């Protein structure tokens, strides 16, 4: 780890479009990246993310065809498809609270059920909330490790879903490319003033 503060990592993270295609992360680096990333929070601790690490070069090339031919897809050291299991909340939810005290365990399981049961919009929205948090964690840990990243939704979600055999009750949130940057990002432009994006009390 580089020892950047969280604020420094946030300031240094940029969407980078050029990567050294010969660079690979070591197994130890990948473990460090993933171990930290998956500490990100999910509501009720349901951890409904299922991240596909696309290592197969041919598959990367096929995904690139469906992603506006963006070079990050094939050139980055890692191409991660952040997929979410819409139904994770009901797939043995007791796993998510194993080891907690009995009173908490008894209280939380019915709450999980009540929160999601019969509410497809909530189930889906929750996927995208968690996906965004995961993506940012991934990019900040990568930055701390000296790597660049690019979050991406410029691709045909249906076609890419077919290429990775996405299960029926899963959605793809976005993909994130990570690697050794070879291209300076564009200067930061167009940042809206705080007075527009930060609202006091109510609209
Ligand atoms: C959800 C999401 C999808 C994005 N999709 C793409 C993409 O497909 N290709 C790309 O080059 N950049 C993509 N970007 C990068 C944005 O253009 C970039 O984050 C934004 O311009 C701000 O720049 P910065 O990240 O360097 O601060 C995406 C960013 C986000 C958050």
């Amino acid at each position: 780890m580089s020892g950047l503060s969280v604020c420094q990592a946030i300031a240094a993270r940029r969407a980078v479009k050029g990567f050294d295609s010969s660079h690979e992360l070591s197994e130890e680096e990948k473990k460090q990246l993933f171990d930290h990333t998956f500490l990100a929070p999910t509501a009720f601790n349901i951890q409904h993310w299922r991240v596909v690490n696309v290592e197969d070069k041919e598959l990367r090339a096929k995904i690139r065809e469906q992603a506006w031919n963006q070079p990050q897809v094939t050139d980055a050291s890692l191409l991660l498809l952040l997929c979410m299991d819409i139904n994770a909340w009901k797939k043995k939810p007791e796993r998510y609270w194993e080891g907690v005290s009995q009173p908490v365990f008894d209280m939380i399981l019915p709450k999980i059920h009540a929160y999601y049961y019969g509410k497809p919009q909530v189930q889906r929205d929750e996927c995208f909330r968690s996906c965004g948090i995961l993506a940012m964690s991934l990019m900040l840990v990568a930055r701390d490790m000296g790597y660049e990243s690019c979050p991406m939704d410029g691709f045909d979600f249906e076609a890419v879903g077919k290429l990775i055999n996405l299960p029926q009750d899963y959605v793809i949130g976005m993909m994130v490319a990570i690697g050794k940057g070879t291209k300076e990002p564009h200067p930061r432009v167009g940042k809206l003033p705080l007075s527009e994006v930060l609202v006091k009390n109510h609209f």
Side-chain angles (χ1 to χ4, degrees), residues 13-17 68 70 72 139 150-155 173-174 185-186 188 191:
R13 183 220 56 82
R14 298 296 315 284
V16 165
K17 321 287 168 102
W68 312 346
Q70 298 190 73
Q72 305 93 297
M139 294 187 288
C150 188
M152 301 172 70
D153 64 6
F155 60 94
M174 68 175 89
H186 305 297
R188 262 195 217 281
K191 279 286 169 202

Side-chain angles (χ1 to χ4, degrees), residues 37-138:
T37 295
F38 286 109
L39 292 176
T42 48
F44 298 109
N45 200 31
I46 62 174
Q47 303 157 76
H48 43 168
W49 36 53
R50 304 290 180 262
V51 174
V52 179
N53 177 10
V54 185
E55 295 185 332
D56 181 331
K57 288 196 175 358
E58 281 178 28
L59 182 55
R60 289 257 206 130
K62 285 183 187 158
I63 293 173
R64 178 170 168 169
E65 284 172 19
Q66 302 299 335
W68 312 346
N69 196 30
Q70 298 190 73
Q72 305 93 297
V73 174
T74 48
D75 296 353
S77 308
L78 295 175
L79 181 74
L80 303 170
L81 299 190
L82 309 194
C83 305
M84 307 294 302
D85 179 352
I86 295 174
N87 287 326
W89 63 275
K90 63 178 173 185
K91 293 180 181 168
K92 297 197 190 135
E94 62 279 4
R95 291 179 296 154
Y96 314 141
W97 288 91
E98 200 185 298
V100 81
S101 69
Q102 198 63 44
V104 174
F105 188 85
D106 292 343
M107 174 271 296
I108 207 116
L109 288 183
K111 277 206 158 60
I112 295 177
H113 186 81
Y115 194 84
Y116 298 106
Y117 181 76
K119 299 173 192 159
Q121 173 89 37
V122 174
Q123 294 164 13
R124 220 182 134 81
D125 287 352
E126 200 81 293
C127 286
F128 292 99
R129 273 190 276 279
S130 301
C131 180
I133 293 171
L134 188 75
M136 196 60 182
S137 299
L138 196 48

Side-chain angles (χ1 to χ4, degrees), residues 5-34:
S5 71
V6 175
C7 289
Q8 285 169 330
I10 288 171
R13 183 220 56 82
R14 298 296 315 284
V16 165
K17 321 287 168 102
F19 290 94
D20 175 353
S21 60
S22 67
H23 182 77
E24 288 181 14
L25 271 75
S26 68
E27 288 306 314
E28 198 182 316
E29 283 178 308
K30 283 187 240 175
K31 182 169 171 9
Q32 192 173 38
L33 176 69
F34 294 132

